[in-house]
């Protein structure tokens, strides 16, 4: 009885999930757009390598921000599981596992950036490589990160689908409209990820696919974040 009485309320987990989602969005935008997209020039290995060497601390800051995002992903998987298990415990667990698998894949992909820093460190044993060879390996590692992230986003897309479905079926536990946006966002992530795998000329349609992912994703995930933070789950969980 004591454990049940001391159990945190749904509002507590709502605040954790909302804060986590919002902080993740800020850190991910900083790392992806302000740091890596600014430093990495996809068709220019020399400029990319020079940008990273010149702005090493900025590059490291982007890396650390992504590491924090990984930690927040784990916390969010836990908080959303607790919030959604009254709707369907098994599906809530499935959603959590999809997000944890995505987090693991993203973490493995992220280690490529540490190898980038190692290649550009000027360590003596690297002198056996020419400058062009080092720069080419840097681009290969950056591509390896992107490819790993894309694979991870397949699992993230399924995570959003299950979360959206649970919200729709919650009967007002969380507004259903947010659930619909998450389901649409999940379709966008899956379409974009599989397009990378299936279309050799993906870059010709990249802008269209990014809009398909970005618009519903931003609306759905940020709506969920702000709703959880501002209003939150106030009804008692069904047991």
């Amino acid at each position: 009885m004591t454990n049940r009485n001391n159990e945190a309320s749904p509002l507590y987990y709502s605040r954790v999930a909302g804060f986590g989602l919002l902080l993740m969005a800020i850190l991910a935008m900083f790392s992806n757009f302000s740091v890596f997209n600014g430093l990495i020039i996809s068709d220019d290995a020399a400029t990319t390598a020079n940008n990273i060497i010149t702005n090493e601390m900025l590059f490291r800051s982007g890396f650390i921000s992504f590491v924090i995002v990984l930690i927040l992903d784990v916390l969010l998987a836990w908080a959303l599981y607790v919030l959604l298990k009254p709707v369907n415990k098994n599906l809530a667990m499935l959603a959590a596992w999809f997000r944890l698998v995505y987090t693991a894949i993203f973490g493995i992909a992220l280690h490529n950036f540490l190898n980038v820093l190692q290649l550009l460190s000027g360590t003596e044993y690297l002198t056996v490589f020419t400058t062009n060879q080092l720069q080419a390996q840097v681009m290969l590692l950056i591509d390896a990160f992107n490819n790993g992230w894309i694979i991870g986003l397949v699992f993230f897309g399924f995570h959003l689908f299950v979360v959206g479905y649970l919200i729709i079926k919650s009967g007002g536990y969380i507004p259903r409209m947010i659930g619909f946006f998450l389901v649409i966002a999940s379709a966008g992530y899956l379409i974009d990820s599989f397009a990378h795998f299936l279309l050799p000329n993906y870059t010709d349609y990249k802008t269209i696919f990014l809009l398909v992912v970005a618009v519903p994703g931003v609306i759905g995930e940020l709506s969920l974040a702000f709703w959880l933070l501002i209003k939150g789950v106030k009804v008692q969980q069904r047991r």
Side-chain angles (χ1 to χ4, degrees):
M1 292 295 293
T2 302
N3 290 338
R4 288 191 175 185
N5 291 335
N6 292 337
E7 185 179 349
S9 69
L11 189 58
Y12 168 79
Y13 294 104
S14 175
R15 295 291 187 261
V16 171
F19 177 77
L21 279 168
L22 193 58
L23 184 56
M24 284 171 60
I26 295 171
L27 292 173
M29 285 190 290
F30 167 73
S31 293
N32 198 32
F33 299 110
S34 299
V35 178
F36 298 124
N37 280 3
L39 299 180
I40 296 170
I41 311 300
S42 60
D43 57 351
D44 193 336
T47 301
T48 297
N50 289 330
N51 285 344
I52 295 172
I53 293 171
T54 305
N55 302 277
E56 182 178 343
M57 284 307 300
L58 180 62
F59 188 86
R60 289 180 180 273
S61 298
F63 175 83
I64 291 298
S65 294
F66 267 149
V67 171
I68 296 172
V69 168
L70 291 175
I71 297 170
L72 292 172
D73 267 316
V74 175
L75 291 176
L76 191 61
W78 162 68
L80 288 177
Y81 165 73
V82 175
L83 287 174
L84 295 173
K85 69 178 181 179
V87 183
N88 187 309
K89 185 176 181 179
N90 291 333
L91 287 179
M93 179 67 74
L94 179 63
W97 274 112
F98 272 133
R99 191 170 197 116
L100 291 175
V101 172
Y102 156 73
T103 304
I105 295 174
F106 182 60
I108 293 170
L110 191 60
H111 96 282
N112 287 289
F113 284 154
L114 289 179
N115 293 335
V116 167
L117 291 172
Q118 185 65 32
L119 282 175
L120 298 177
S121 65
T123 304
E124 186 175 352
Y125 65 79
L126 293 173
T127 56
V128 298
F129 299 106
T130 66
T131 299
N132 288 338
Q133 287 174 331
L134 287 174
Q135 292 170 350
Q137 289 185 64
V138 165
M139 296 307 294
L140 282 173
L141 289 171
I142 291 171
D143 287 341
F145 163 77
N146 289 328
N147 291 334
W149 195 1
I150 292 167
I151 293 171
L153 287 175
V154 174
F155 291 88
F156 185 73
F158 282 113
H159 162 78
L160 286 185
F161 178 82
V162 179
V163 170
Y165 173 81
L166 288 172
I167 290 174
I168 292 170
K169 293 296 184 179
S170 67
Y173 190 63
I174 298 173
R176 289 182 176 179
M177 186 59 65
I178 295 176
F180 285 116
F181 277 118
L182 291 180
V183 170
I184 296 171
S186 75
Y189 277 108
L190 293 173
I191 291 171
D192 182 63
S193 296
F194 284 110
H196 273 89
F197 307 144
L198 297 174
L199 299 180
N201 59 337
Y202 169 82
T203 53
D204 295 340
Y205 307 98
K206 183 176 180 179
T207 302
I208 297 174
F209 284 118
L210 287 178
L211 288 174
V212 169
V213 172
V215 174
V218 168
I219 294 174
E221 294 180 68
L222 288 185
S223 296
L224 180 61
F226 283 114
W227 187 86
L228 290 171
L229 272 175
I230 296 171
K231 188 172 183 180
V233 179
K234 295 185 178 180
V235 298
Q236 290 298 316
Q237 293 188 3
R238 298 186 295 273
R239 300 189 182 277

